[in-house]
Amino acid sequence: MTIDRPTASPSPPRRRRAAPRALGDTFTHRLHTLAKLTDRVTQAAYLAETGLPLGEGRCLAAVGAFAPLSVKDLARMANVDKGQASRAAQVLVDKGLMVKTPCTQDARGVELRFTPEGAALYARLMEVVERRNQEIVGCLSAAEQAQFDALLSRLVTHARGLAQEQG
């Protein structure tokens, strides 16, 4: 006589953990690499064509695009910390490219604006910025550039939202 023994139901197949991606293949690492490489080349172009190091050039460009700016707003718009923005602003004031005027909404604060020399240098700087942007995306077709631009805008918006959530 044979005894039927219940057979265990087969266990579900184990999901294999995906092998971790190599660091160099991750999106964030490649994005950081791209940013550092472009910063290095942009730094050289800014110095050669405007006499400004990258941080000062970014601050000058931010004031040109969004003036008047407080130092706090300058930091946010130039993507630098407040200390860097404050130092760069003071150097640009000392070079006669910007002036600090009392803030109309906060008597303790200042607003940054161009001098005529700053406005002229801003125009030259923006030519460098435009050329550098074209050099960076020049390996992409016009359609790819448009798609990349749209995707990048979406990613930046999403990243800003995540940063705000994290405080």
Side-chain angles (χ1 to χ4, degrees):
M1 164 165 144
T2 60
I3 302 174
D4 288 332
R5 295 184 187 205
T7 57
S9 61
S11 59
R14 284 188 174 170
R15 287 189 176 182
R16 287 188 185 174
R17 267 195 176 165
R21 294 175 75 180
L23 178 63
D25 293 336
T26 63
F27 174 76
T28 53
H29 183 79
R30 290 181 296 152
L31 188 60
H32 183 73
T33 299
L34 177 62
K36 288 298 186 180
L37 290 170
T38 58
D39 279 356
R40 188 179 318 147
V41 177
T42 300
Q43 165 85 355
Y46 279 18
L47 279 172
E49 298 183 46
T50 68
L52 296 176
L54 186 61
E56 291 172 26
R58 282 194 174 140
C59 289
L60 188 81
V63 170
F66 307 107
L69 288 175
S70 67
V71 173
K72 180 181 175 182
D73 290 338
L74 174 62
R76 185 171 42 84
M77 301 312 283
N79 291 311
V80 297
D81 66 43
K82 191 175 176 192
Q84 290 172 307
S86 178
R87 287 187 296 277
Q90 189 57 54
V91 168
L92 294 169
V93 167
D94 293 345
K95 289 180 177 181
L97 300 171
M98 290 193 320
V99 294
K100 292 180 182 178
T101 58
C103 180
T104 55
Q105 298 173 346
D106 178 2
R108 297 170 294 158
V110 296
E111 293 178 333
L112 301 164
R113 299 177 196 280
F114 283 146
T115 62
E117 294 81 8
L121 188 58
Y122 169 73
R124 283 189 16 229
L125 178 66
M126 292 312 295
E127 290 173 6
V128 176
V129 169
E130 187 60 35
R131 189 181 70 250
R132 287 289 306 125
N133 276 281
Q134 288 307 310
E135 290 169 355
I136 292 165
V137 298
C139 64
L140 303 175
S141 70
E144 289 170 328
Q145 287 180 33
Q147 182 180 27
F148 181 66
D149 184 58
L151 292 170
L152 192 57
S153 293
R154 203 162 119 201
L155 287 168
V156 168
T157 298
H158 179 68
R160 281 192 175 126
L162 292 173
Q164 286 178 345
E165 286 175 14
Q166 294 176 358

